[in-house]
Amino acid sequence: MDKKSMSERDICTKFITPAIAQAGWDIQKQVREEFSFTKGRIMVRGKLHTRGKARRADFILYHQLNLPLAVIEAKDNKHAVGAGMQQALDYADALDVPFVFSSNGDGFLFHDRTGTGAQVETELSLDQFPSPQELWQRYCRWKGLDAAASARVEAPYYDDGSGRVPRYYQMNAINRTVEAVARGQSRVLLVMATGTGKTYTAFQIIWRLWKSRQKKRILFLADRNILVDQTKNNDFKPFGAAMTKISKRQIDTSYEIYLSLYQAVSGNEEEKNIYKQFSRDFFDLIVIDECHRGSAAEDSAWREILDYFSSATHVGLTATPKETKEVSSIHYFGEPVYSYTLKQGIEDGFLAPYKVVRIDLDKDLEGWRPTKGMVDENGEVIEDRIYNLKDMDRQLVMKLRTQVVAQKITAFLKASDPFQKTIVFCDDIDHAERMRQALVNLNPERVQENRKYVMRITGDDQEGKAELDNFINPESRYPVIATTSKLMTTGVDAQTCKLVVLDQHIKSMTEFKQIIGRGTRINEDFDKFWFTIMDFKKATELFADKAFDGEPVQIYQPGPGDTPVPPDEVPDGSTTPGDAGDWPNDNHDGEDGPTGGTGGEGEGGKRIKYVVADVPVYVVAERVQYYGSDGKLITESLRDYTRTCVHKQFGSLDAFLRRWSDADQKTAIIEELANQGVLWEALQEEVEAKLGKPLDPFDLVCHVAFDQPPLSRKERAENVKKRNYFAKYQGAARQVLEALLDKYADTGLVNIEDIKILQLDPFNKLGSPIEIVKAFGGKAGYTQAVTELENNLYA
């Protein structure tokens, strides 16, 4: 067979695979072909969604399971040998591999990213492909691994026999951490967005270091009970009898893997610092979960524990490294060995995209001033000044404002899905309780079905906290709505949360990222592919901050002798944790209590939060913002955004019309523009609401991007009928085309291009799909007839 006539797959099978095998690679154990390492970005279209293309490498070569060395991109023989190199380099960046090959079956173009070779790119014949040993030695030199360190790096991953492998970014994080420890690095920082599997990543790191006996005794340190319990019962379960959770302030030194809340081993009183019952060198490795917590203060519990076990290797995990003028994750742990951001997760299709519904209320924007001498519900004279957004639910409680927020939440749920899991973030416990009451009263039929439809889940309420597991369990229908303040900001794996409501003042980028992270998980089994953020307090303005999804940058400049770790978020600034992981007064989530707030001062300096019941509050503005293809919120109008997207692809109306006319499948252009970021359903809804008639994508583009007067689908269908286009067809063929035209007028272009429509009513009454196609003389005749129909539609 002529090599030029072979497909890309033929080239792989007949030339590339044999060359790899001849070089000594084990095809069964060291080679993966056509491996998709991303899922494909989720694109939301109204209430529907689709996935973009997954990134797929033709070949990935491994030293051993989960330790990749090289990527090969294949092209058919009509291409040059190096035609796939740029694509392969892009894959190599993501997969963190140093050796990159491109091939067309004649030979290989080899790109060495390590700098250890004589030159960067070299052409190789098929029989010159490098052996596994050669690439592994180069890899070790590149990573700075001597013989002993390279042997430690070869410690295997845990394999449960199910065939599960880490995602590519988890593999990168695990391998980089193990390599850093093998080189003797004592402080390691991993930054991974919420929902990307930090705990599973930590497990594999610990497993490899433990099984190889590099690290024999290990402490996993967290600050919330739910984090420790989820970890012990799920990802860390394979450690079995070697693992224990420190509880009841009792120490047993017979275990090797210890899980603990830092509050459970430390305290303000010396006798509560039970971690000192361990010798200073007892632990070889300490993994600190959510390490953006912890304090630079000398008396911090985090600081004391880490200082006590300073000889151990410390690995910090966080989605949000803390970088302020006072404290620095980077100063303590060093630059992250690996980062995987929310933007990357969404682009790869591992995290859910979102849209933002921003709602502005009149009293928040315009302000409110009490009349002279006005008293609140509690008889307090309200300080005479103008109150606005920064005061709401802190210094001033407007009961009707809470009611309006609850009404908007309820209306959204009723219009979409009343049973979609929802978290409402409030300013404090009192606010969360008021919100719970308002939502209960607005949803009487749901609460009648189950009283747990709405629950307040805050640190002071035992019944609410007891429902947290049910809220995050996809199998449990109730609770549906959780009102909270701080308890659910971190460590809550709410896979099916589809609505995140922000009625909380959020100025910390760390806290904002953590809260947004409650909705970013995908659960395909429960139809969770995206989520909505409803913002009442302008918190989503933080999306516009250039630091929102950038790499962490060290801001703190330490003085002599300063060794800060990231900051604690202990309630009321206290550094005194309670027993067994509970905060003082059992307020574990750092929330202000019912009397908390920052209002004016009453007698004895007591803080006052003014409460008014009869001041009306109105919605003055509401807008929807979408997650754009560039990873940023679309803040311009949908029309302007669409025009920009279309003009990137088509410089003029003529260019668009030529492409549309030439396309065999118009849906391919629709899909192409969707990949460019065009939000078809949202655009259609907005434009059709204004024009009062249904348009198809062709007219949407012509009208919005090129200012052309649009025709409705019905008008286009009527024009075709007037031209008597059907005259040349008889019998069943004519009936089918007339039905296709009606279907177009009703539902649009996409359906008529899909031959599967022949299985549906009314076509199934005209015969089977095979019989219908025969009426056109075969499939080619049917396809030609549909193409002619489309040409007439857009004539």
Side-chain angles (χ1 to χ4, degrees), residues 617-629:
V617 176
Y618 302 101
V619 173
V620 294
E622 183 172 343
R623 63 175 175 170
V624 178
Q625 296 173 303
Y626 298 89
Y627 185 86
S629 59

Side-chain angles (χ1 to χ4, degrees), residues 114-156:
T114 68
T116 59
Q119 59 189 61
V120 176
E121 288 194 353
T122 310
E123 286 206 25
L124 305 174
S125 64
L126 289 174
D127 58 4
Q128 288 179 313
F129 195 86
S131 69
Q133 294 76 21
E134 180 184 346
L135 291 191
W136 176 241
Q137 288 168 5
R138 287 199 193 190
Y139 181 90
C140 291
R141 288 198 299 273
W142 178 53
K143 290 287 188 175
L145 302 170
D146 58 22
S150 64
R152 291 193 289 269
V153 166
E154 292 178 296

Side-chain angles (χ1 to χ4, degrees), residues 35-40 55 60 62 66 68 91-97 157 164-177 190-202 204-205 208 317-318 337-352 520-522:
F35 180 62
S36 295
F37 58 91
T38 70
K39 297 274 284 184
R55 300 171 80 190
I60 302 177
Y62 297 81
N66 299 319
Y91 292 167
D93 278 337
L95 295 168
D96 205 23
V97 298
Y157 280 66
R164 176 187 182 184
V165 296
R167 293 171 175 171
Y168 83 89
Y169 62 85
Q170 294 170 336
M171 200 180 302
N172 294 346
I174 295 162
N175 291 338
R176 285 204 185 183
T177 302
L190 277 178
V191 178
M192 295 172 65
T194 299
T196 56
K198 289 192 297 295
T199 309
Y200 173 71
T201 301
Q204 288 287 8
I205 291 168
R208 292 179 68 191
L317 304 171
T318 182
V337 296
Y338 188 70
S339 294
Y340 188 73
T341 65
L342 173 66
K343 179 180 177 181
Q344 288 173 291
I346 294 175
E347 185 65 31
D348 288 341
F350 294 122
L351 294 180
T520 55
R521 287 168 173 81
I522 291 170

Side-chain angles (χ1 to χ4, degrees), residues 224 422-423 425 457-458 468 471-472 482-492 494 514-515 518 589 591:
R224 294 196 175 176
T422 301
I423 305 176
F425 287 97
I457 302 180
T458 52
L468 183 54
F471 181 82
I472 65 179
T483 67
T484 190
S485 174
K486 302 291 184 187
L487 181 61
M488 299 177 72
T489 56
T490 62
V492 177
Q514 291 286 350
I515 287 175
R518 297 316 100 206
D589 56 352
E591 300 173 84

Side-chain angles (χ1 to χ4, degrees), residues 56-129:
R56 187 180 70 181
D58 289 326
F59 293 85
I60 302 177
L61 308 185
Y62 297 81
H63 173 65
Q64 62 187 47
L65 185 64
N66 299 319
L67 212 168
L69 295 180
V71 62
I72 304 173
E73 180 61 28
K75 297 296 179 186
D76 63 41
N77 200 249
K78 297 185 184 73
H79 291 82
V81 67
M85 180 53 71
Q86 292 190 145
Q87 185 178 350
L89 285 168
D90 182 51
Y91 292 167
D93 278 337
L95 295 168
D96 205 23
V97 298
F99 308 117
V100 191
F101 298 85
S102 172
S103 179
N104 64 353
D106 289 340
F108 296 94
L109 181 64
F110 174 33
H111 185 111
D112 184 352
R113 304 171 73 207
T114 68
T116 59
Q119 59 189 61
V120 176
E121 288 194 353
T122 310
E123 286 206 25
L124 305 174
S125 64
L126 289 174
D127 58 4
Q128 288 179 313
F129 195 86

Side-chain angles (χ1 to χ4, degrees), residues 362-369 386-389 392 398:
D362 63 335
K363 300 301 184 292
D364 295 351
L365 299 185
E366 300 163 8
W368 173 79
R369 184 176 180 179
I386 295 175
Y387 296 82
N388 55 29
L389 179 62
M392 296 301 168
M398 287 187 163

